[in-house]
Amino acid sequence: MTLKKLVTNCLIIVSVAAVTFFIHFIVNASFKESVEGNQLVYSYSINILLACGVVVLMFLLKNKLRDQLGFIFMLASMLKFVFFFILFYPEYNADGNLTRLEFLTFFIPYVICLITESVLLSKFLNILDNYK
């Protein structure tokens, strides 16, 4: 993966997340008890940064740890989930009740970025395998 491809992959993550954010924002606004817009922005922003961080990490480690990149990706995905759980759960569970909308505010951006990141990195890993 070249630097240009790295930037392109991060832009793809940002683009997919942005489209999802706008759909999520519109659907969220249609509910009587909706989640605040700044919580959505915060959740998507953090998730985009972490997803791009994983892509950059894989790019940086492609030569040193080529055979372990799949495991590094799985570990990074787990750490992202733990990070989100630590970051968002206390705020959402402050009233003792984690609503479905609060859960989806965390889960939708997490899954969208994870799927996008997985597709991009699987292509990257396949290219690396072809160069062996």
Side-chain angles (χ1 to χ4, degrees), residues 115-129:
I115 291 170
T116 307
E117 175 183 8
S118 296
V119 169
L120 294 172
L121 290 175
S122 69
K123 290 179 183 180
F124 169 64
L125 292 175
N126 285 334
I127 290 170
L128 283 181
D129 281 344

Side-chain angles (χ1 to χ4, degrees), residues 8-23:
T8 302
N9 285 345
C10 286
L11 288 175
I12 290 170
I13 291 170
V14 169
S15 300
V16 170
V19 168
T20 307
F21 169 78
F22 287 115
I23 294 169

Side-chain angles (χ1 to χ4, degrees), residues 8-63:
T8 302
N9 285 345
C10 286
L11 288 175
I12 290 170
I13 291 170
V14 169
S15 300
V16 170
V19 168
T20 307
F21 169 78
F22 287 115
I23 294 169
H24 192 170
F25 185 80
I26 291 167
V27 170
N28 183 56
S30 69
F31 288 107
K32 183 186 272 187
E33 294 180 24
S34 61
V35 175
E36 292 182 30
N38 62 347
Q39 289 177 326
L40 282 176
V41 171
Y42 184 59
S43 181
Y44 277 89
S45 299
I46 295 295
N47 211 349
I48 290 168
L49 288 174
L50 290 174
C52 288
V54 170
V55 171
V56 169
L57 178 69
M58 299 292 275
F59 175 75
L60 295 174
L61 297 176
K62 71 180 179 182
N63 294 327

